[in-house]
Amino acid sequence: KRMSVSRIKEPIETLQVVLEDGAFVESTDGDGSDVAWWIGFINTSDNDIHARIALRCHDVFLIDILRNIYEPRSDSNEDYTFQIPEEADKKYRDSDGQLTIQIDIQYLQEASWKPTVHSHPVLTHLYNSSDTTDATFLVEGEKFKVHKCVLEATCPTLFDLVKNQPAEVATPLPGVEKEIFNVLLKSMYCVDTHELQKVSASDSELVEINEAEMETVKSILSHANKFGLVKLKLLAESILAYDIIDSESAAELLLFADSHSCALLKEEAMNYIDFQAQAVIKSSGWSKLNQSSSLLTELFEFMHGYCKEQCNKVNEGYEGWSVVTLLKKLEEYNLELDGSREQLISRCKEVP
């Protein structure tokens, strides 16, 4: 079946394919039927298309194809063999021997969002000049000179620590690494945070992220959250959600997102687990997630909704919107972007 996509607003698009009786071969282990499957993808756009694809028979998932990248103006053919479990085979095949298979397709490129961060030449000049600084922080034995007026405008939490201190008195910041504080400082002065950008994947490719880099981005997010640097927090959150998450880290990042009110990362982590459940369950982070009954319940409800309802149901009101759509709406009206999904929905309802 051919499908033309201009812009996907909903998270998942679903196709249905009917398999005739002749498409089945009895499985060698006797537990169901084997089906050979060929899928052809044609990308007619000028951009890379990042897609997640899952094949399922009603509520029984057959194959998860994760984060495939389809290059501009190209086509690709892929062959798969999967097994339809005997239970699903008997339950869903009709009297003519036909069986309907659902193909869930999620286009990541259309669903992504990162905060808009603008550099400011005046603040950049101040960052590179220490002639007019009037406050000092001491981080891991190193002194960082800053401007109180910049702190007051961009980070009131840190400003309160030094507003009554003379310039020569260094205010200690225990529990903060100097490399992390330097990133926070650049964010306050609207300077490009290369430490984050080098971890982020480019527009045209996905990169391997090691565990140390993931922990660095998590630390940046945690400290940005602590000191109220919303744009930096959202930038770190989007990098975790789009460039770092994988089957080994998804469960851990879901817990992290829930504890730091990261709506975007939380939804992406649940979305990832939905498509890669078998792999995520084998990860080291799953045992930690398994201890949170409330979060597991939320995850189950999320997955159940996507598998059985989301693909064919048009949701009404902001409750049915994805976090990305909510963020774009709030950004359009220059409203607060930080917080849980429930907080984002509440703010959207205030938009006239």
Side-chain angles (χ1 to χ4, degrees), residues 73-331:
R73 303 290 172 180
S74 66
D75 61 338
S76 63
N77 301 322
E78 302 175 18
D79 297 307
Y80 303 96
T81 299
F82 59 88
Q83 184 181 93
I84 299 175
E86 184 177 9
E87 178 184 356
D89 197 346
K90 292 180 178 179
K91 183 177 181 180
Y92 297 118
R93 201 191 295 204
D94 63 21
S95 58
D96 295 326
Q98 296 179 333
L99 185 70
T100 300
I101 300 294
Q102 288 80 31
I103 308 173
D104 297 335
I105 307 176
Q106 182 183 34
Y107 296 89
L108 301 187
Q109 192 173 23
E110 297 297 345
S112 64
W113 177 88
K114 289 189 177 182
T116 303
V117 180
H118 299 291
S119 60
H120 195 291
V122 174
L123 292 177
T124 301
H125 173 74
L126 289 175
Y127 175 81
N128 294 316
S129 173
S130 60
D131 294 339
T132 57
T133 58
D134 52 4
T136 307
F137 285 105
L138 183 65
V139 183
E140 290 189 325
E142 184 173 333
K143 292 182 178 181
F144 290 84
K145 296 183 179 297
V146 296
H147 301 81
K148 291 182 181 180
C149 60
V150 175
L151 295 184
E152 184 177 15
T154 61
C155 189
T157 303
L158 288 178
F159 172 70
D160 288 340
L161 297 177
V162 298
K163 63 181 179 181
N164 296 321
Q165 296 280 22
E168 63 274 10
V169 175
T171 301
L173 281 180
V176 182
E177 298 177 5
K178 58 185 178 182
E179 291 80 7
I180 300 298
F181 185 72
N182 192 42
V183 176
L184 302 180
L185 209 56
K186 287 181 177 180
S187 175
M188 296 176 218
Y189 282 82
C190 300
V191 178
D192 290 338
T193 52
H194 297 291
E195 291 82 355
L196 275 177
Q197 299 298 342
K198 71 181 180 181
V199 174
S200 175
S202 69
D203 291 337
S204 60
E205 62 181 352
L206 294 173
V207 298
E208 292 291 332
I209 305 296
N210 62 44
E211 185 175 352
E213 289 173 326
M214 183 181 76
E215 291 304 318
T216 296
V217 179
K218 286 171 60 181
S219 181
I220 291 171
L221 189 153
S222 296
H223 285 89
N225 186 53
K226 176 181 178 180
F227 295 121
L229 296 170
V230 175
K231 282 292 182 73
L232 181 61
K233 175 189 175 182
L234 291 171
L235 178 59
E237 180 181 352
S238 65
I239 290 172
L240 288 170
Y242 299 129
D243 304 322
I244 290 182
I245 193 170
D246 58 17
S247 57
E248 180 60 33
S249 63
E252 178 184 344
L253 288 177
L254 176 55
L255 285 165
F256 179 81
D258 187 59
S259 63
H260 288 78
S261 297
C262 297
L264 180 67
L265 178 58
K266 184 175 181 179
E267 184 168 277
E268 181 63 16
M270 290 196 292
N271 209 358
Y272 195 105
I273 296 171
D274 184 12
F275 272 78
Q276 282 288 79
Q278 293 183 353
V280 175
I281 288 174
K282 298 176 183 177
S283 69
S284 58
W286 182 257
S287 59
K288 300 176 184 177
L289 179 59
N290 206 26
Q291 297 174 16
S292 175
S293 58
S294 60
L295 200 51
L296 280 177
T297 300
E298 189 175 348
L299 176 61
F300 176 80
E301 291 174 349
F302 177 90
M303 295 173 67
H304 178 81
Y306 268 86
C307 294
K308 295 186 175 179
E309 300 173 9
Q310 185 72 11
C311 297
N312 301 310
K313 178 181 178 180
V314 178
N315 291 297
E316 297 182 357
Y318 295 114
E319 286 77 6
W321 285 21
S322 68
V323 170
V324 168
T325 308
L326 293 169
L327 288 170
K328 288 180 178 179
K329 181 74 172 181
L330 293 172
E331 192 172 42

Side-chain angles (χ1 to χ4, degrees), residues 27-44:
S27 177
T28 55
D29 58 16
D31 291 333
S33 300
D34 287 336
V35 176
W37 189 271
W38 175 85
I39 306 178
F41 298 93
I42 302 175
N43 181 6
T44 59

